[in-house]
Amino acid sequence: MADTLIMFNIRKKGFIIVLSAFMMIMAFWLQGCSLDNTAYDEEPVKDSESIAGSLITVGFSQVGSESDWRMANTKSVQEAFTVDKGYALIFNDGQQKQENQIKAIREFIDQDVDYILLDPCVEKGWDSALREAKEAGIPVIVYDRMVDVSDTDLYDAWIGSDFYLEGKKACTWLTEYLESIEYDGDINIVDLQGTLGASAQIGRTKALNDAVSKNGKWHLIAQETGDFTTAKGKEIMEAMLIKNGGNINVVYCENDNMAYGAIEAIRAAGYKIGTNLKNNEILILSFDASNEGLRLTMDGVIAVNTECSPLYGDMLVEMIEALGDGEKLEKNTYIEEEQFSNFKGIGSLRIDGNSYFVNEVDEELLENREY
Ligand code: GYE
């Protein structure tokens, strides 16, 4: 029994030696083939692992794909972080759920990425995930919406819009407009809010609330979230129209997509849209100034559109390059934005000692617009 076992082992060993020799010859032959190939291909073909090894990896946790703004933003970031420039971008769509974004951050940490880009769907609730990234030594850049964390050292830098100022610009425009048409009656306003708890919603809503409480003739008769989407914007506008009927004068849409939905609902219910409040037209204010939003502004359907730019890609690349060079970034950076209206009477606005131009929209502007 023991003999047969030894014999079997010897035979097995022999077989393994023969097999190994055969594999070595094959490997040598194959290598020879691939060396031959390089003679034709000039440059040796790198395998994917060595390409990945030489790239800077960036985990990108995006809010979702809820709006035109968001789609343009994803495109801007994806087009900026290319393999040509030395980056491997790992994109994750959070589908407007914070839990998905937190999960993505943890996956990026497991993958040991070099940097994390985060556009947080809401402000609160990031402490643990960002602390884990910090402990793993991965720099985090937050952009667009902000995080509200106990310790701002949990992220390296934030860049985004001043959402309160955006709201203030819209409300100041409305004040100036009403003065210019000598309208001194009461106005009923409804607010289609963005995703509750998102910086863009918090700032824009607060600016409206503040303006309403300062102005005795402005009445906020309904305020509800439409989650920044066309479908929900339409749904809540329909409900508001049913409840308030012809008593709505102004619709404050916290983004263009909700304005598209609101416009559909208003038209379907048989009300008129425009700036002639004395003639019962419903006046629409919107934010983002996306291509479609600006076309509606050019046509006078949206009375004023306050810009919010989604084009962060190149700025984020610069920030990551600066970090790579060992520079310290500004903690918070606000980007500059414009405002658009085709009502001719208001050329600029004065807010807190600063002047802001109100631009007209024409075909040329639309053609050259990137989003
Ligand atoms: O206004 C809206 C998008 O966070 C600024 O999110 C962004 C907002 C933008 O869905 O359209």
Side-chain angles (χ1 to χ4, degrees), residues 1-13:
M1 178 67 185
D3 281 357
T4 38
L5 213 61
I6 291 165
M7 275 301 291
F8 178 75
N9 278 342
I10 290 173
R11 280 211 195 123
K12 203 169 120 187
K13 265 190 195 156

Side-chain angles (χ1 to χ4, degrees), residues 82-93:
T82 57
V83 172
D84 282 1
K85 284 195 215 143
Y87 292 102
L89 187 74
I90 310 169
F91 172 73
N92 184 279
D93 178 340

Side-chain angles (χ1 to χ4, degrees), residues 66-67 69-70 144-145 163 200 204 228 254-255 288 308:
E66 74 282 2
S67 63
W69 190 102
R70 189 65 51 202
D144 169 32
R145 304 180 186 177
F163 299 111
R204 292 169 189 168
F228 286 126
E254 293 187 15
N255 83 338
D288 284 355
C308 179

Side-chain angles (χ1 to χ4, degrees), residues 24-98:
M24 274 169 69
I25 292 166
M26 283 299 287
F28 186 71
W29 181 73
L30 281 173
Q31 199 187 12
C33 287
S34 72
L35 283 175
D36 280 346
N37 277 344
T38 57
Y40 297 110
D41 288 340
E42 309 236 317
E43 257 187 66
V45 180
K46 286 191 193 166
D47 61 61
S48 55
E49 227 171 81
S50 72
I51 294 176
S54 63
L55 295 175
I56 297 166
T57 49
V58 178
F60 170 28
S61 170
Q62 175 61 293
V63 171
S65 54
E66 74 282 2
S67 63
D68 292 5
W69 190 102
R70 189 65 51 202
M71 306 305 274
N73 175 249
T74 298
K75 188 165 169 264
S76 163
V77 177
Q78 285 177 333
E79 284 178 359
F81 287 90
T82 57
V83 172
D84 282 1
K85 284 195 215 143
Y87 292 102
L89 187 74
I90 310 169
F91 172 73
N92 184 279
D93 178 340
Q95 303 186 345
Q96 284 189 286
K97 289 203 174 74
Q98 184 174 36

Side-chain angles (χ1 to χ4, degrees), residues 49-286:
E49 227 171 81
S50 72
I51 294 176
S54 63
L55 295 175
I56 297 166
T57 49
V58 178
F60 170 28
S61 170
Q62 175 61 293
V63 171
S65 54
E66 74 282 2
S67 63
D68 292 5
W69 190 102
R70 189 65 51 202
M71 306 305 274
N73 175 249
T74 298
K75 188 165 169 264
S76 163
V77 177
Q78 285 177 333
E79 284 178 359
F81 287 90
T82 57
V83 172
D84 282 1
K85 284 195 215 143
Y87 292 102
L89 187 74
I90 310 169
F91 172 73
N92 184 279
D93 178 340
Q95 303 186 345
Q96 284 189 286
K97 289 203 174 74
Q98 184 174 36
E99 69 215 63
N100 292 343
Q101 289 198 278
I102 290 178
K103 201 165 153 246
I105 292 174
R106 295 201 165 122
E107 277 165 15
F108 296 151
I109 297 171
D110 283 347
Q111 291 165 323
D112 197 22
V113 297
D114 297 307
Y115 298 94
I116 292 176
L117 289 180
L118 170 66
D119 189 337
C121 59
V122 289
E123 289 193 349
K124 293 197 192 301
W126 299 99
D127 284 68
S128 318
L130 293 188
R131 186 159 296 115
E132 287 163 37
K134 179 119 201 135
E135 279 163 10
I138 303 172
V140 175
I141 294 179
V142 180
Y143 80 94
D144 169 32
R145 304 180 186 177
M146 281 183 176
V147 289
D148 180 359
V149 280
S150 55
D151 175 3
T152 53
D153 276 351
L154 291 179
Y155 61 92
D156 288 72
W158 169 85
I159 184 166
S161 306
D162 185 338
F163 299 111
Y164 183 71
L165 176 63
E166 288 177 355
K168 236 178 157 178
K169 283 180 177 176
C171 295
T172 309
W173 185 91
L174 183 60
T175 311
E176 299 271 319
Y177 172 73
L178 295 175
E179 267 173 35
S180 75
I181 61 161
E182 294 173 0
Y183 185 93
D184 62 358
D186 286 18
I187 51 165
N188 289 332
I189 306 172
V190 298
D191 179 14
L192 310 192
Q193 297 173 287
T195 303
L196 296 180
S199 311
Q201 174 274 316
I202 295 172
R204 292 169 189 168
T205 297
K206 184 170 167 20
L208 176 65
N209 289 346
D210 288 353
V212 168
S213 57
K214 267 197 228 142
N215 193 319
K217 289 188 171 172
W218 290 19
H219 309 286
L220 188 57
I221 58 169
Q223 189 166 46
E224 209 179 309
T225 179
D227 233 353
F228 286 126
T229 70
T230 303
K232 278 214 178 159
K234 184 173 175 214
E235 202 180 295
I236 59 173
M237 189 72 237
E238 276 165 359
M240 287 175 181
L241 285 166
I242 291 170
K243 200 161 165 238
N244 301 288
N247 288 328
I248 298 172
N249 305 110
V250 172
V251 186
Y252 183 89
C253 304
E254 293 187 15
N255 83 338
D256 277 341
N257 285 77
M258 292 191 295
Y260 311 155
I263 291 164
E264 263 190 66
I266 295 168
R267 285 181 174 153
Y271 296 101
K272 278 182 284 171
I273 296 174
T275 48
N276 192 345
L277 296 182
K278 292 173 190 158
N279 201 18
N280 286 331
E281 288 181 356
I282 299 181
L283 185 148
I284 298 188
L285 307 169
S286 186

